[in-house]
Amino acid sequence: MNRERTIKVALAGCGTVGSGVLDIVVNRAESLACRTGVRFQVVGGLVADLSKKRSLPLDPHLLTDEPAALLSRDYDLLVEVMGGTTTARAVVLDALRAGKPVVTANKALLALHGAEVFRTAHAHSACVAFEASCAGGLPIVGAVLRGLQANRINQLVGIFNSTCNFVLTAMLDRGMTFADAVAEAQRSGYAEADPTLDVSGGDTAHKLTVLASLAFARNIEFSRIAMQGIDRLQLDDLRIAREMGYACKLLGIGRRVTNGPHAQNERLHLAVRPTLVPNAHPLAALTGASSGLWVQGDAVGETFYSGAGAGSLPTASAVVADMIEVATGATQATFNSLRIFNDQTAPAEYVDPGAPEGPFYVRFTFDSPRQDALSDLARALSDIPMRHERSHAASDRRHAVIITAPITCAELDTAVRAIASRLPLAGEPVVLPVLEV
Ligand SMILES: NC(=O)c1ccc[n+]([C@@H]2O[C@H](COP(=O)([O-])OP(=O)(O)OC[C@H]3O[C@@H](n4cnc5c(N)ncnc54)[C@H](OP(=O)(O)O)[C@@H]3O)[C@@H](O)[C@H]2O)c1
């Protein structure tokens, strides 16, 4: 039987995720060592404010607020769960330059500086593990890195931000305003003190950048992801979507688009948007603070992953799994052999913004309830060159909705303006994409 090994850990960050990591590696050390043959000894913890009151299973004397002091300890592995892209970037790069493996949960760091981080790791025979960066406890990075490697992944669609999913569910099921739902998400510990990155779609775009880079083996620039958050969504649209058999979700979508038979003409469609998901799709069923990912590969077909995408212990579950894989040598082997990390891959080519994007939901709101909103809408649509698959009059008789056939954004914009000019409307029409399945 193999001897038990002790791995010395430098823990950069002892907040929500860091305390969960400590909980698992200290309070569950025996069962962990029994199953894995590895015991983790935390030799130092980095925090911003040493005077903060904490109840961590760690000797307070091991805490420091000096990155250099943490990195001067005798350690085998750096775990970065501090967040941000300045101090975290410096700490991660310093550890890698010293040849130390790094486990990180930091999607912002990898989305903005991934190529630099991976290049530094390769140059110093180190490795980076980042399972917790894309959907907290869901093992989707491992699925893409290992389980689905035999596939050409054609499409991935995810609910990556559980705060947004919580907010949308609270608005629809309990009739809450957006502001009240965000406040409740904060009270429940799902949303950050500053939830801007969550609700603006930025956090989802960070995660999509990291995961799509691996799935499509392309170096994706975060700034090229078209992004819209949930901050301007209206309850009317969530309700009408439900009447029509859809769930409105903040999705991150990555899709290969090939023009003609040659793979070299391939481009990527990458977007973060509130999107109507047909109820038949597994992502539509995810409510509350859950996350999910749907992936379509050419060999496996469709696969689906769902569960807790955030939170202290769920995220720590993914971080500690990475720590074990680093300790067993599995991460280094994967990192050395696969050629899908974005210091090694070609820059992505992006779909032309004028290309057809798929079907859209368009809502027109009349200035007063109508006897027959659909007839009024049909007259306005009569000579407009836009095909639609479906129309629907909302139960309150003030809203009429169409679901278009696939159309470009430019064509859609022209058609919607023309229709709106022929109807007595209260406010601008609302346009949301619909997920094609
Ligand atoms: N929370 C989640 O559910 C979740 C899920 C997936 C991924 N993540 C990622 O995990 C990382 C950590 O998130 P978190 O929610 O645990 O954050 P958090 O609760 O704010 O904890 C951050 C920790 O890092 C320390 N820290 C921050 N900036 C520092 C600096 N400049 N110098 C020294 N210490 C610093 C903080 O010190 P103080 O304690 O003194 O403030 C705190 O201990 C982020 O990258 C986040 O995106 C989080």
Side-chain angles (χ1 to χ4, degrees):
M1 195 164 126
N2 289 339
R3 268 191 328 120
E4 186 177 292
R5 287 189 306 134
T6 297
I7 301 290
K8 296 191 202 112
V9 176
L11 184 64
C14 302
T16 305
V17 181
S19 59
V21 170
L22 283 166
D23 182 331
I24 294 176
V25 302
V26 175
N27 298 331
R28 304 162 201 221
E30 289 311 321
S31 71
L32 210 57
C34 209
R35 278 181 286 118
T36 65
V38 181
R39 197 174 283 274
F40 295 103
Q41 179 194 356
V42 177
V43 295
L46 180 65
V47 294
D49 180 1
L50 274 175
S51 68
K52 211 185 251 183
K53 246 178 130 41
R54 306 169 196 271
S55 54
L56 299 171
L58 184 71
D59 179 349
H61 295 105
L62 292 175
L63 293 180
T64 174
D65 57 0
E66 288 289 332
L70 180 77
L71 297 180
S72 69
R73 309 257 158 98
D74 175 20
Y75 70 99
D76 305 307
L77 162 64
L78 175 81
V79 174
E80 185 275 303
V81 284
M82 60 194 292
T85 55
T86 47
T87 309
R89 171 170 167 248
V91 168
V92 163
L93 292 176
D94 281 353
L96 292 172
R97 287 188 195 109
K100 306 287 185 181
V102 169
V103 171
T104 179
N106 192 335
K107 55 265 177 176
L109 177 68
L110 294 178
L112 301 176
H113 303 289
E116 179 187 33
V117 168
F118 295 136
R119 192 179 313 113
T120 307
H122 279 124
H124 294 86
S125 303
C127 59
V128 186
F130 48 95
E131 181 59 74
S133 66
C134 288
L138 293 195
I140 58 176
V141 172
V144 170
L145 268 178
R146 287 180 295 275
L148 299 175
Q149 259 319 310
N151 290 261
R152 175 182 161 84
I153 292 176
N154 293 315
Q155 196 173 176
L156 59 87
V157 183
I159 294 174
F160 291 107
N161 187 282
S162 46
T163 301
C164 289
N165 213 46
F166 176 90
V167 168
L168 294 177
T169 307
M171 287 172 71
L172 184 59
D173 289 353
R174 292 188 274 149
M176 294 177 91
T177 63
F178 172 75
D180 287 347
V182 171
E184 177 153 332
Q186 287 173 306
R187 279 195 302 277
S188 312
Y190 300 125
E192 304 284 330
D194 176 4
T196 314
L197 204 56
D198 290 323
V199 300
S200 69
D203 176 76
T204 298
H206 284 149
K207 294 165 177 170
L208 180 63
T209 305
V210 174
L211 202 62
S213 296
L214 296 175
F216 303 127
R218 284 286 178 276
N219 186 358
I220 292 170
E221 275 178 62
F222 169 72
S223 60
R224 298 296 299 268
I225 295 189
M227 189 168 89
Q228 188 187 325
I230 62 166
D231 33 357
R232 280 178 291 148
L233 265 183
Q234 295 172 39
L235 185 54
D236 279 335
D237 296 301
L238 305 186
R239 285 188 173 139
I240 295 169
R242 179 154 68 182
E243 284 179 18
M244 296 181 75
Y246 298 97
C248 184
K249 301 290 181 191
L250 183 69
L251 297 185
I253 299 180
R255 185 181 299 139
R256 293 184 199 264
V257 179
T258 309
N259 291 325
H262 301 296
Q264 63 264 37
N265 293 333
E266 174 183 291
R267 291 173 181 268
L268 296 182
H269 167 78
L270 297 160
V272 172
R273 295 216 176 102
T275 303
L276 267 54
V277 182
N279 282 344
H281 195 283
L283 285 167
L286 296 185
T287 54
S290 44
S291 296
L293 177 74
W294 177 90
V295 185
Q296 198 251 328
D298 64 348
V300 73
E302 297 176 16
T303 62
F304 180 62
Y305 314 81
S306 70
S312 180
L313 278 174
T315 308
S317 153
V319 172
V320 177
D322 271 350
M323 293 164 65
I324 295 164
E325 294 232 322
V326 167
T328 61
T331 305
Q332 190 71 60
T334 306
F335 199 70
N336 288 350
S337 54
L338 295 184
R339 298 175 186 171
I340 61 172
F341 298 98
N342 54 3
D343 59 323
Q344 302 161 317
T345 51
E349 305 247 8
Y350 304 89
V351 165
D352 174 358
E357 275 216 10
F360 288 88
Y361 156 105
V362 188
R363 165 169 64 89
F364 301 93
T365 301
F366 292 98
D367 57 3
S368 58
R370 314 299 284 183
Q371 274 307 100
D372 188 352
L374 284 187
S375 300
D376 293 346
L377 180 62
R379 271 193 297 281
L381 273 163
S382 58
D383 59 345
I384 289 176
M386 180 180 69
R387 283 196 307 118
H388 64 282
E389 310 285 357
R390 227 183 127 180
S391 55
H392 173 82
S395 50
D396 64 4
R397 297 193 292 127
R398 284 193 46 135
H399 307 288
V401 169
I402 51 175
I403 304 289
T404 72
I407 187 172
T408 68
C409 287
E411 287 165 344
L412 179 72
D413 192 48
T414 307
V416 169
R417 276 172 203 275
I419 299 165
S421 71
R422 297 169 185 196
L423 292 171
L425 297 181
E428 291 290 309
V430 171
V431 174
L432 295 168
V434 176
L435 184 69
E436 275 188 293
V437 287

